[in-house]
């Protein structure tokens, strides 16, 4: 089995470089991309590459952390679009040949903590 972690690292590097040929090369033909928060699903390599290629804005990403086990990888990335910054967590599943067959992305919104735990937590 090819190392899915290395594939995911190439996936993010290609995305940041806007190298859509290399990006597509990390994906299985029938990749499925799921966004649970918006209840969207994109099926197929061509549509998913197009989705990323056409995404608006001059976005840039930095990989913060990658955690891997055979066949599954999780990454935390930091994304900047203009002055807006956000973090995302992505879950990847491999196809057994080293390509990405499924991606589930979570894009959480920051929020203020509930009152009453100031004595336990430090804000950064």
């Amino acid at each position: 089995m090819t190392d899915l972690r290395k594939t995911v690292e190439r996936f993010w590097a290609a995305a940041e470089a806007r190298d859509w040929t290399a990006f597509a090369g990390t994906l299985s033909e029938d990749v499925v991309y799921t966004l649970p928060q918006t209840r969207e699903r994109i099926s197929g390599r061509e549509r998913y590459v197009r989705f990323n290629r056409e995404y608006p804005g001059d976005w840039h990403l930095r990989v913060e952390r990658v955690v891997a086990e055979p066949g599954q990888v999780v990454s935390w990335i930091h994304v900047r679009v203009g002055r807006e910054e956000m973090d995302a967590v992505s879950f990847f599943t491999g196809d057994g040949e080293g390509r990405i067959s499924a991606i589930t992305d979570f894009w959480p919104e920051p929020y203020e903590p509930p009152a009453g735990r100031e004595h336990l937590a430090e804000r950064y």
Side-chain angles (χ1 to χ4, degrees):
M1 176 182 281
T2 305
D3 186 357
L4 185 60
R5 178 190 185 112
K6 287 184 169 74
T7 302
V8 169
E9 290 169 348
R10 285 194 316 271
F11 167 92
W12 287 127
E16 172 61 23
R18 310 301 197 274
D19 182 344
W20 303 120
T21 301
F23 184 82
T26 66
L27 306 169
S28 68
E29 184 68 35
D30 58 351
V31 66
V32 176
Y33 176 63
T34 305
L35 291 148
Q37 290 162 295
T38 58
R39 298 185 325 273
E40 294 176 283
R41 181 172 295 129
I42 298 170
S43 298
R45 177 171 43 210
E46 183 179 326
R47 289 171 57 112
Y48 181 60
V49 171
R50 184 175 177 186
F51 171 82
N52 282 278
R53 189 176 55 239
E54 294 178 2
Y55 201 83
D58 184 26
W59 54 268
H60 293 279
L61 66 90
R62 178 181 71 239
V63 176
E64 296 290 339
R65 186 170 184 187
V66 176
V67 178
E69 64 179 43
Q72 297 183 26
V73 174
V74 178
S75 69
W76 165 19
I77 62 167
H78 184 80
V79 177
R80 183 177 38 79
V81 182
R83 292 183 179 195
E84 186 178 7
E85 295 190 33
M86 60 203 88
D87 291 294
V89 176
S90 305
F91 293 83
F92 297 86
T93 303
D95 67 0
E97 296 180 25
R99 292 182 306 250
I100 298 165
S101 61
I103 306 162
T104 303
D105 263 355
F106 291 92
W107 294 84
E109 292 288 328
Y111 63 94
E112 291 300 312
R117 58 187 189 199
E118 303 83 9
H119 64 290
L120 300 172
E122 173 185 327
R123 295 297 302 273
Y124 63 93

